[in-house]
Amino acid sequence: MANPYKNAPTVRLAEYIQAKKFRTILPEQRRTPCGISELPVEVQLKKAFAKTLSFKVPWDGLLYGFVRGKKEIAGTLGDFSEIKHISLQDWESEFLLLFEGEDKGTEKAFFVSPDDVRELLENCLRVPEQASTKKGR
């Protein structure tokens, strides 16, 4: 099967999602509507990456959250349909940042570095269940 994302450009994650505007939520809250200026985000982590974080990640490697700044994010994407969902997928050497549009089949993809994703997850507002397990953090 061909890789539809092989030509996706590499960008800095903070150009689209900044830690100060991102918050995690509990898995059971993922169906809860987000604020009107927020977008839902799903982060898919493999075990190797999850082990590098200062907090525990669920066994399935899935983290959920919301990012504020819906209009600003849409503005950085240019001519794109309304954003419905954002995902970050662990591809080991890099992460796929995928914006899914309201229109079926519309998406915009980028690659970001694992360091950018780590920076986001370590410095965002996390739920208490994701408190740091490492001293000094």
Side-chain angles (χ1 to χ4, degrees):
M1 186 170 131
N3 177 354
Y5 307 116
K6 69 179 177 183
N7 295 321
T10 299
V11 297
R12 292 198 63 244
L13 180 57
E15 293 174 29
Y16 300 94
I17 303 175
Q18 299 169 4
K20 67 183 180 181
K21 294 184 176 187
F22 182 73
R23 64 185 174 104
T24 64
I25 58 173
L26 297 172
E28 53 269 20
Q29 297 170 312
R30 73 179 188 266
R31 303 264 184 257
T32 304
C34 55
I36 60 171
S37 67
E38 293 181 315
L39 290 164
V41 180
E42 181 177 298
V43 184
Q44 302 167 10
L45 305 174
K46 293 189 177 176
K47 288 185 195 278
F49 183 85
K51 288 180 184 179
T52 69
L53 297 172
S54 69
F55 59 94
K56 290 186 179 180
V57 173
W59 66 270
D60 58 5
L62 293 176
L63 297 175
Y64 301 95
F66 295 129
V67 62
R68 290 188 325 273
K70 184 186 221 175
K71 286 184 181 179
E72 293 86 357
I73 294 170
T76 62
L77 294 174
D79 189 21
F80 187 72
S81 72
E82 181 97 9
I83 303 167
K84 177 179 157 185
H85 183 263
I86 302 170
S87 64
L88 278 163
Q89 302 169 14
D90 188 343
W91 285 30
E92 294 176 2
S93 63
E94 57 195 351
F95 276 75
L96 179 69
L97 171 62
L98 188 63
F99 295 92
E100 297 174 43
E102 286 286 345
D103 299 332
K104 188 173 174 96
T106 59
E107 59 186 26
K108 199 156 200 175
F110 302 95
F111 285 108
V112 297
S113 76
D115 288 339
D116 283 359
V117 176
R118 187 175 300 102
E119 175 76 19
L120 172 73
L121 296 175
E122 291 291 354
N123 295 297
C124 70
L125 179 61
R126 295 193 309 260
V127 292
E129 290 82 353
Q130 294 169 342
S132 179
T133 58
K134 296 183 180 172
K135 292 181 181 180
R137 288 197 172 190

